[in-house]
């Protein structure tokens, strides 16, 4: 039984002084945590976080990577190789906010995933349906279609997917345990033929995970961890969520 994975996604939040305080508090508070913990910090602060996390068990994670695997004339981009150079382990890809604001589709995500795998990093593919898709009863079909990007890939020893219903992100409207259970079972069933039985499949839940709902969510079958947004910016809240996973 692999340990639960909890990743805090800071999104576009951070300043040098505040980052240092938060990471120091997490290092102190999570030293004995049994869960696997990562923090996905903005690209601008990856170097600071890499140094601040040195020697800790907290994994440095990124929130995106360039679709271009090799160095070149791609102004503004950060390659997966550069992330690896900074000590990054996990890379969030396809977060709904990137799909929404930067029109990331399966074609672009496929290139990003390939670049991240080529750099020896672990992609965390973010998927999830919108409220309209959920209300139309299309949520299972939508997420199944989003998994297509994983077909015929050399994923290594594990495949990590983060299920984040868009309507639960940042809204305080967390999915019900029944909704989480149904979707995670569905995703595990659909992922198996895609990645094969030799790959360890981990499906994280994200969408208004807080210290007061984390235990119930993490105890739900087929929930292998959580992708935490807002609550990850508060050391005490994030620590409680990680401890609920441990
Ligand atoms: O990446 C994290 C998810 O977008 C969830 O964010 P949230 O916990 O603020 O709802």
């Amino acid at each position: 039984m692999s340990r639960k994975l909890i990743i805090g996604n800071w999104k576009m939040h951070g300043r040098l002084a505040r980052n240092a305080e938060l990471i120091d508090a997490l290092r102190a508070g999570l030293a004995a945590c049994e869960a696997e913990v990562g923090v996905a910090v903005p690209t601008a602060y990856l170097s600071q976080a890499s140094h601040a996390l040195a020697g800790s068990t907290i994994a440095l994670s990124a929130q995106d990577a360039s679709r271009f695997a090799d160095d070149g004339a791609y102004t503004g981009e950060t390659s997966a190789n550069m992330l690896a150079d900074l000590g990054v382990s996990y890379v969030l890809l396809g977060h709904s906010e990137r799909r929404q604001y930067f029109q990331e589709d399966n074609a672009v995500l496929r290139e990003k995933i390939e670049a991240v795998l080529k750099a020896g990093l672990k992609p965390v593919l973010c998927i999830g349906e919108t409220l309209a898709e959920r209300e139309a009863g299309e949520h299972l079909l939508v997420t199944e279609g989003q998994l297509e990007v994983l077909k015929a890939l050399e994923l290594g020893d594990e495949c990590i997917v983060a299920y984040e219903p868009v309507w639960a992100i940042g809204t305080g409207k967390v999915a019900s345990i029944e909704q989480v259970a149904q979707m995670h079972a569905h995703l595990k069933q659909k992922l198996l033929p895609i990645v094969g039985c030799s790959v360890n499949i981990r499906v994280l839940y994200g969408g208004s995970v807080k210290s007061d709902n984390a235990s119930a969510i993490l105890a739900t079958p087929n929930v292998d961890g959580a992708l935490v947004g807002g609550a990850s910016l508060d050391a005490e809240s994030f620590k409680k969520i990680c401890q609920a996973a441990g």
Side-chain angles (χ1 to χ4, degrees), residues 9 11 95 97 164 168-170 206-210 227-230:
N9 177 9
K11 302 192 180 182
H95 192 282
E97 289 148 5
E164 300 199 306
I169 295 175
S208 293
V209 174
K210 307 296 182 191
L227 184 54
V228 183

Side-chain angles (χ1 to χ4, degrees), residues 96-140:
S96 63
E97 289 148 5
R98 295 206 58 82
R99 293 173 192 255
Q100 178 184 358
Y101 298 122
F102 305 100
Q103 291 73 51
E104 291 191 352
D105 59 12
N106 272 5
V108 168
L109 287 171
R110 175 72 181 207
E111 291 180 285
K112 286 175 178 260
I113 291 173
E114 288 173 341
V116 166
L117 290 169
K118 186 179 174 187
L121 305 180
K122 291 188 175 182
V124 178
L125 176 65
C126 301
I127 63 172
E129 81 282 357
T130 64
L131 182 59
E133 290 162 341
R134 164 72 59 174
E135 289 175 342
E138 298 167 356
H139 48 291
L140 299 180

